[in-house]
Amino acid sequence: MPKILSILAALTLPAAALAQSTVTLDDFSLDDLTDTPPSQAAPQAKPDSEMRDCLMDQASCASAEFGNAADFTLDDVYNLGVIDRSQQQRIAATNPDPAPLPSIDLEVLFAYNSDDLTPQAMAKLSTLAAALGDPRLAGSQLLFIGHTDAVGSASYNNDLSRRRAQAVANYVQATMQLSSSRIEAVGVGFSRLKNTIDPTSAQNRRVQLVLVPGA
């Protein structure tokens, strides 16, 4: 009998110990909760918002890709043959500010020596099309300007940059169902490098979008 009592006593000790270490709500502090509930988390910005914001305010754009685009004025657009003299004069009459036109750079991927868009490039251009759907950007002509690095001859790069800009313009036009009169593409090769310290840098291989005001 004493041996049985000893066994029962040993079996009850863990329960007693557990009772002494019971955790209550008083042991918790709301300060210890560091995770924000999903319903209270800040909403993430849409993928197209940075493109749109940089296009509308290039001076405040902090994006390494979209920012620091080469300046193009209305005179530059005329010199590229995108608009004629009468159109330039009509636009200047309603937009007398000679400041650079709204613009962003796009790092669009192409296969080597090719103007065929990659799937990654198509995804980025679909995002751009969403950004351009903002009513504040309506009415402008979309000018896509192709740029290359400084590897190869000027004539070769001018042609390649033009073909790549045209591929981008065609995709955006089809995606947004735009009239051909609202979209244009030109190539300038390596005449306006983004990274002048390293002319062969991938940063120089890009397609720039410039918004030309409606006449």
Side-chain angles (χ1 to χ4, degrees):
M1 187 69 172
K3 188 177 291 187
I4 294 176
L5 292 175
S6 298
I7 294 173
L8 291 175
L11 292 174
T12 57
L13 282 175
L18 181 61
Q20 292 176 7
S21 61
T22 300
V23 179
T24 67
L25 289 176
D26 294 334
D27 295 313
F28 287 97
S29 170
L30 292 177
D31 294 335
D32 295 331
L33 299 177
T34 57
D35 292 334
T36 304
S39 60
Q40 299 179 18
Q44 292 184 346
K46 292 183 178 180
D48 59 298
S49 61
E50 188 176 27
M51 285 185 183
R52 181 200 61 220
D53 293 344
C54 286
L55 190 55
M56 297 181 67
D57 187 4
Q58 178 68 200
S60 300
C61 180
S63 170
E65 176 182 354
F66 306 140
N68 301 314
D71 290 342
F72 280 89
T73 64
L74 197 59
D75 286 343
D76 292 324
V77 173
Y78 166 75
N79 291 331
L80 287 171
V82 176
I83 56 176
D84 58 26
R85 178 62 73 182
S86 61
Q87 186 179 356
Q88 180 195 25
Q89 292 173 344
R90 289 197 303 271
I91 296 173
T94 55
N95 300 273
D97 189 356
L101 299 172
S103 175
I104 58 170
D105 275 344
L106 299 166
E107 294 173 4
V108 183
L109 298 177
F110 291 90
Y112 177 72
N113 194 27
S114 170
D115 55 14
D116 293 331
L117 294 171
T118 65
Q120 296 93 325
M122 293 179 185
K124 178 172 291 187
L125 294 177
S126 294
T127 301
L128 173 64
L132 292 173
D134 190 297
R136 291 170 292 180
L137 302 177
S140 296
Q141 184 178 7
L142 309 182
L143 171 59
F144 290 96
I145 303 175
H147 299 264
T148 66
D149 60 27
V151 178
S153 69
S155 60
Y156 168 83
N157 281 289
N158 285 337
D159 179 65
L160 179 63
S161 63
R162 178 194 58 78
R163 288 189 285 114
R164 288 179 170 178
Q166 189 64 61
V168 169
N170 290 344
Y171 186 88
V172 173
Q173 180 182 0
T175 301
M176 299 185 67
Q177 298 182 340
L178 297 176
S179 165
S180 59
S181 63
R182 280 202 58 199
I183 200 161
E184 187 65 67
V186 297
V188 296
F190 51 72
S191 62
R192 300 206 182 194
L193 297 174
K194 186 169 188 172
N195 187 339
T196 56
I197 297 176
D198 181 6
T200 65
S201 169
Q203 284 183 301
N204 295 316
R205 300 191 292 269
R206 66 202 192 277
V207 174
Q208 182 177 356
L209 168 63
V210 177
L211 296 186
V212 181

